[in-house]
Amino acid sequence: MFDTVNFWIDGVGMSGFKTFDIVPCLSEITEKRNGDGYSCSGKTGDYSVFVYEGGISLKGSLAKNHFGDNLQTLTRRSVKQAIEDLSDRLQCPCHCSS
């Protein structure tokens, strides 16, 4: 069983999609500008989302985000569904292959 699953969605090669397109889908948004460039962070469900020009970082509990708690066991099917739900919520092209 696993709980915390972190994702990196590489922005390179995502045709027609810009990483900052997901910002309106986030809550608790904070913006940061420094010598490295511009970035945003926010939340979607249980996941903390960090948006950079080069990609998107998602950190959190996949089970808690999907089921509302982390007491239930994720099956292969529910992992795929949980990732698809994250993708839908963020309106981001994250795809799972079986």
Side-chain angles (χ1 to χ4, degrees):
M1 180 164 85
F2 56 88
D3 182 36
T4 301
V5 179
N6 298 332
F7 296 98
W8 172 256
I9 302 167
D10 197 351
V12 177
M14 294 176 79
S15 62
F17 181 80
K18 294 182 178 129
T19 58
F20 290 104
D21 290 347
I22 71 163
V23 173
C25 302
L26 303 176
S27 62
E28 304 174 34
I29 298 169
T30 59
E31 300 178 50
K32 187 176 183 184
R33 184 176 300 276
N34 61 26
D36 295 333
Y38 176 74
S39 64
C40 290
S41 63
K43 300 281 278 181
T44 183
D46 186 59
Y47 267 84
S48 295
V49 182
F50 304 90
V51 185
Y52 309 96
E53 288 186 30
I56 302 165
S57 173
L58 298 143
K59 299 179 185 235
S61 168
L62 194 58
K64 188 171 183 181
N65 194 62
H66 186 62
F67 293 123
D69 62 55
N70 58 356
L71 303 175
Q72 300 180 55
T73 302
L74 289 162
T75 63
R76 186 175 292 196
R77 179 178 287 174
S78 61
V79 167
K80 183 176 179 180
Q81 185 178 17
I83 294 170
E84 288 170 352
D85 290 346
L86 266 174
S87 175
D88 291 345
R89 227 180 299 149
L90 294 172
Q91 299 176 6
C92 176
C94 309
H95 303 287
C96 295
S97 55
S98 320

